[in-house]
Amino acid sequence: MHQPTPAAADDSGTDGSSASSGRVSGWDPTWPAAPGGDDPAAPGPNRTPTPPAQRAPTPPPLPPLPPLRPLAERCEPPGTVPRSATTPPATATRPPRPATPADPLPPPRRSLGLPAAHTALICVALPTLAISTDQGQLNGQGLEGFYRSGRRVLSRCQVRVAGREPVAVQARMTASDRARFVGTLSASPLGGPDPDVTVERVRSADGTERITLRSSAPRPLRVPVEVALGTDLAELAAIAAGTSGPELPAGVHESGLRWSGAAGTVTVTADPPPSDMLASAGLLRWEFELLPGASRTLELRTRSEGGRALRTVTRSTNSPFAQAHASGDEPGIQPLLRSSVEDLQALLLRDPAHPADVLLAAGAPWRCGPAPAEALAAARMALPLGTGLAAGTLRALARVQLGGPAGRSGMIPGPRRGAGTRLPPECTGTLATLLFPALLAEAYRWGLPERDTTELLPAAERCLSWLLTAVGDRTYLSDPQPGGPVRCETQAHAHRAAVLGAELLETCGRPGAAELRQWARELRRAFQSEFWIGDLGGGRPAAARMPDGTLAPHLAGTAAHLLDTGLLGGGRWAPGLLDRVQTEQLARLLGGPALDSGWGLRGLGAQEPGHNPFGHRDGAVRVHETAVAIAGLAAAGYEKEASSLLRGTLTASAAFGHRLPEMYAGERRTEGSAPLPHPAACRPAATAASAGVLLATTLAGIRPDAPAGTVTLRPWHTAPLGEIVLTGLRVAGAPFSVRVSRLGLAMVEEAAEGLRLAT
């Protein structure tokens, strides 16, 4: 992975991208997104910008909580040392002996990577997060804490009951924005090994936590409860770099505590109010009477002041997503679709200047800001849930489209991101500019209102004009512009944008369709002869054509985009870049053991030099590309290969609790094995969540043409998952439900009035 570069290394290119490292500002509501990277360790708004040399040593462990005080004692004012925790005389302890060369073991070295996120339970309701370990306690270590707009507003929340920490017995996500933790302990004076008090903690991303104690003891219990709180008001960048700094001193505030610093003010209030508060220790105390079988609940509410406002898209807001459901013979489809819709809702952000428009953040915890390419790709895969997200995303990005010189005019700006060890970083602005007209064209077929299409059409025309200008008198589109390599997947996106854009322009009576179609034909002819590497195994598409004309021959998962064309009018699928023989060979490669890991599609073939199963572009399974491969293979008629990838992804989904991360290790699946998580992957991630929607709906092969009032169904003939019923989808602005039988026959069960089934 690429290491972060110093903040001064700002590289703004002529392609509209920027490779600035900068501070973590992925939470910044300013549009467009500040520079960032797709590489979990690359510089950008959601990456750690601090060079390793500037990192502070690991902070010392937290001191134990002070002992319980009698209830008769009153709260001390801020800064007062409690009598029960008086500092011992200086002579009572000996200062630690400094390390010398004779010491047998050197001090441990701090890892240069990001804090591991794969074991964390991440509750998301942007711009707020709650990140916890499976122990439930927030100890102020690693990423633990409550966050708002990229700042940790509470780092510690430690609970003790009867002077002890409950034994953690279960931790699980109950929704995208909530987690439940259960612990037990024995509080009876004569209790045996069986716990008699259950402690349940329900933590929400909005900064609330409900702590419930339930007694199973045969006699009444008098149970003291302590909650130790603390905060450092650190930014996520500093936490990721290990430079978060010390905790702030607390003060008593109403029914809780308050912390103030240069970054703002945080308060934690409790209901019921505590019977005792120790500001100097950040401690709240209660003493509950628990009758047999009874329970008591207290609630903590964390609020911050002084930070920049970013409106949250809450559950009460009108969601742009239809409440889709799946049922049938395959039990994994239903929870995957449910979790996908919940995660998409949790990742929604508002354009602060235009609150009616929403778009998706890239993912949590590292990439909680707008990322144009990921937002457009996710909106495209989520079209079966309605066109509201596509409309908001397109409007928000149209407002930041570049003007100025001809080489930049029409681009959607985006950062550069790492492309693995074989190719230089790519410009996500190029990808976003190509995805924009493709998304608008397909959203129009799914039922985007004509007034919205008309409003957004000029921005799409500028994207297409940029494409033709960037190509000039050449055949291929390089990335980044100018002088970058000619990437395989960039040609696929450009070809799709030209074909779908041409039909959209023609349908809307706008000029330019003929020139786009002519260039697309020239690109197709050249690509089939100049981008194909022949060998005894049938050949393969080159991953890229370098500026000196040489081909990069490595087998990469990005080739899946050659199959993912796009939706045209009348339910037709747009042509791809490959001919029939090449398409068949590509299907064989995508379904072969080099790329199909058994858990999904590898980013790099297992036999390629330098293959790394954890490499984000060098061998890890990327869920987005896997879903693209599955949909493309099925549309091209290669259901056997698509079915293998689909079953592997569904099995991996179950191993991840049906909440797919953006990527995981591309290790070969064996009997009894499980997919290995990637420690730096976002989970949830916008493209992974929307991929879950695509995986479910591609089985029915739904191809609408709302302007023509028709919908075509092309279900998988082999019905690899048996019967499947999809309800609550949205086509032409109305609910849409479809059933696919075990024989591979599809039937519409609910549709908009006047929408007819085409053959």
Side-chain angles (χ1 to χ4, degrees):
M1 295 186 185
H2 303 292
Q3 290 297 325
T5 55
D10 189 352
D11 175 23
S12 297
T14 59
D15 57 3
S17 68
S18 173
S20 159
S21 61
R23 57 188 284 277
V24 171
S25 58
W27 302 80
D28 191 338
T30 304
W31 259 251
D38 188 59
D39 180 348
N46 306 293
R47 298 291 181 244
T48 305
T50 308
Q54 299 179 9
R55 293 177 179 169
T58 305
L62 297 172
L65 296 176
L68 186 67
R69 295 173 57 202
L71 292 178
E73 294 186 25
R74 304 301 300 168
C75 304
E76 292 90 347
T80 304
V81 178
R83 287 186 293 274
S84 57
T86 305
T87 305
T91 56
T93 59
R94 178 179 299 174
R97 181 176 60 89
T100 65
D103 287 338
L105 294 175
R109 296 181 61 187
R110 180 176 175 81
S111 170
L112 298 182
L114 296 171
H118 65 288
T119 58
L121 281 73
I122 305 177
C123 306
V124 185
L126 293 184
T128 58
L129 294 175
I131 305 179
S132 319
T133 69
D134 58 4
Q135 299 301 302
Q137 300 277 43
L138 297 182
N139 296 309
Q141 300 174 357
L143 293 171
E144 297 174 5
F146 284 103
Y147 294 79
R148 180 171 180 82
S149 300
R151 187 174 298 280
R152 183 159 63 182
V153 295
L154 190 70
S155 56
R156 266 196 313 124
C157 184
Q158 301 162 312
V159 175
R160 285 186 177 181
V161 178
R164 302 191 303 279
E165 291 190 11
V167 176
V169 296
Q170 187 185 76
R172 66 185 184 92
M173 299 291 299
T174 59
S176 292
D177 62 345
R178 290 191 303 276
R180 178 177 182 264
F181 307 90
V182 179
T184 61
L185 54 88
S186 178
S188 299
L190 301 178
D194 297 333
D196 52 21
V197 173
T198 301
V199 182
E200 178 191 66
R201 303 173 69 172
V202 177
R203 185 169 296 148
S204 300
D206 63 2
T208 61
E209 179 162 340
R210 292 176 60 87
I211 304 170
T212 302
L213 282 69
R214 296 184 178 88
S215 174
S216 301
R219 298 179 178 84
L221 296 176
R222 184 175 176 84
V223 182
V225 177
E226 301 173 318
V227 178
L229 305 168
T231 185
D232 49 17
L233 286 180
E235 290 190 350
L236 183 59
I239 296 167
T243 58
S244 56
E247 287 190 355
L248 300 175
V252 174
H253 177 74
E254 296 179 355
S255 59
L257 299 174
R258 178 174 180 164
W259 299 262
S260 294
T265 299
V266 175
T267 60
V268 175
T269 56
D271 183 20
S275 54
D276 198 7
M277 293 183 283
L278 298 176
S280 57
L283 196 64
L284 306 181
R285 287 171 166 169
W286 295 260
E287 190 154 339
F288 292 138
E289 291 282 353
L290 283 178
L291 299 177
S295 64
R296 292 293 302 271
T297 298
L298 64 92
E299 183 174 270
L300 304 174
R301 291 182 292 275
T302 304
R303 297 292 181 264
S304 61
E305 304 170 9
R308 290 171 295 183
L310 183 62
R311 295 184 60 181
T312 306
V313 182
T314 62
R315 291 176 176 270
S316 60
T317 305
N318 291 331
S319 173
F321 305 118
Q323 294 304 306
H325 298 278
S327 60
D329 294 338
E330 169 55 54
I333 283 287
Q334 191 273 336
L336 174 60
L337 183 58
R338 182 186 66 245
S339 295
S340 295
V341 175
E342 285 185 358
D343 284 347
L344 290 173
Q345 181 72 23
L347 290 170
L348 285 175
L349 290 175
R350 290 189 183 278
D351 184 335
H354 301 270
D357 295 336
V358 295
L359 74 167
L360 290 167
W366 309 116
R367 310 183 63 210
C368 293
E374 283 85 347
L376 289 163
R380 182 182 179 221
M381 292 188 286
L383 281 171
L385 302 179
T387 59
L389 175 64
T393 303
L394 291 168
R395 279 195 291 265
L397 296 180
R399 286 190 282 268
V400 301
Q401 193 171 32
L402 297 179
R408 294 166 55 93
S409 180
M411 274 201 82
I412 306 295
R416 295 186 185 181
R417 66 181 175 189
T421 58
R422 289 163 177 75
L423 295 174
E426 60 186 336
C427 175
T428 61
T430 299
L431 177 55
T433 308
L434 300 175
L435 287 173
F436 190 102
L439 174 59
L440 179 60
E442 290 194 289
Y444 178 63
R445 297 300 170 186
W446 278 90
L448 183 68
E450 186 174 350
R451 65 180 181 277
D452 293 330
T453 306
T454 302
E455 173 194 352
L456 292 164
L457 191 57
E461 289 180 296
R462 290 191 290 270
C463 290
L464 296 170
S465 295
W466 172 86
L467 168 60
L468 294 178
T469 301
V471 171
D473 57 358
R474 302 181 301 276
T475 303
Y476 300 114
L477 177 65
S478 60
D479 177 27
Q481 285 280 328
V486 177
R487 303 173 195 267
C488 167
E489 67 273 19
T490 302
Q491 311 320 300
H493 291 301
H495 180 264
R496 186 182 311 112
V499 174
L500 270 64
E503 177 161 299
L504 180 64
L505 294 178
E506 190 172 71
T507 301
C508 296
R510 306 293 280 266
E515 186 178 5
L516 287 166
R517 288 198 177 101
Q518 175 63 27
W519 175 76
R521 285 193 293 268
E522 294 174 0
L523 174 62
R524 194 179 307 124
R525 285 195 297 267
F527 192 91
Q528 291 174 7
S529 60
E530 298 176 358
F531 246 83
W532 193 262
I533 301 174
D535 57 35
L536 296 178
R540 65 176 65 180
R545 190 179 186 91
M546 306 309 290
D548 61 0
T550 60
L551 296 178
H554 58 274
L555 181 61
T558 51
H561 292 285
L562 292 171
L563 293 176
D564 177 37
T565 52
L567 182 62
L568 296 171
R572 294 173 295 125
W573 211 239
L577 281 174
L578 302 179
D579 62 25
R580 183 183 60 81
V581 175
Q582 291 171 336
T583 300
E584 182 177 357
Q585 173 63 7
L586 177 59
R588 187 178 299 115
L589 293 172
L590 294 175
L595 286 178
D596 184 356
S597 69
W599 305 115
L601 187 72
R602 293 187 178 99
L604 182 69
Q607 305 304 319
E608 300 295 326
H611 168 81
N612 175 7
F614 287 95
H616 76 291
R617 296 283 178 178
D618 294 326
V621 172
R622 299 185 66 85
V623 174
H624 174 203
E625 285 174 359
T626 300
V628 165
I630 292 169
L633 286 167
Y638 299 97
E639 294 184 10
K640 177 183 177 182
E641 293 80 0
S643 177
S644 175
L645 288 170
L646 174 63
R647 291 183 180 278
T649 306
L650 289 176
T651 304
S653 170
F656 288 111
H658 304 288
R659 193 188 205 190
L660 284 167
E662 62 175 331
M663 60 181 169
Y664 44 90
E667 290 278 3
R668 163 59 51 188
R669 181 179 177 181
T670 58
E671 183 69 27
S673 65
L676 298 176
H678 193 294
C682 286
R683 182 168 172 253
T687 53
S690 56
V693 177
L694 180 61
L695 291 177
T697 56
T698 192
L699 291 164
I702 306 169
R703 301 181 186 178
D705 188 354
T710 63
V711 61
T712 304
L713 299 179
R714 294 287 186 269
W716 294 22
H717 299 300
T718 54
L721 304 183
E723 184 181 62
I724 181 172
V725 180
L726 301 172
T727 60
L729 303 177
R730 194 160 291 272
V731 174
F736 184 83
S737 301
V738 61
R739 178 186 299 269
V740 179
S741 72
R742 296 181 181 91
L743 299 177
L745 302 175
M747 179 177 63
V748 175
E749 296 192 334
E750 183 181 20
E753 185 177 354
L755 189 69
R756 65 185 186 278
L757 186 64
T759 58

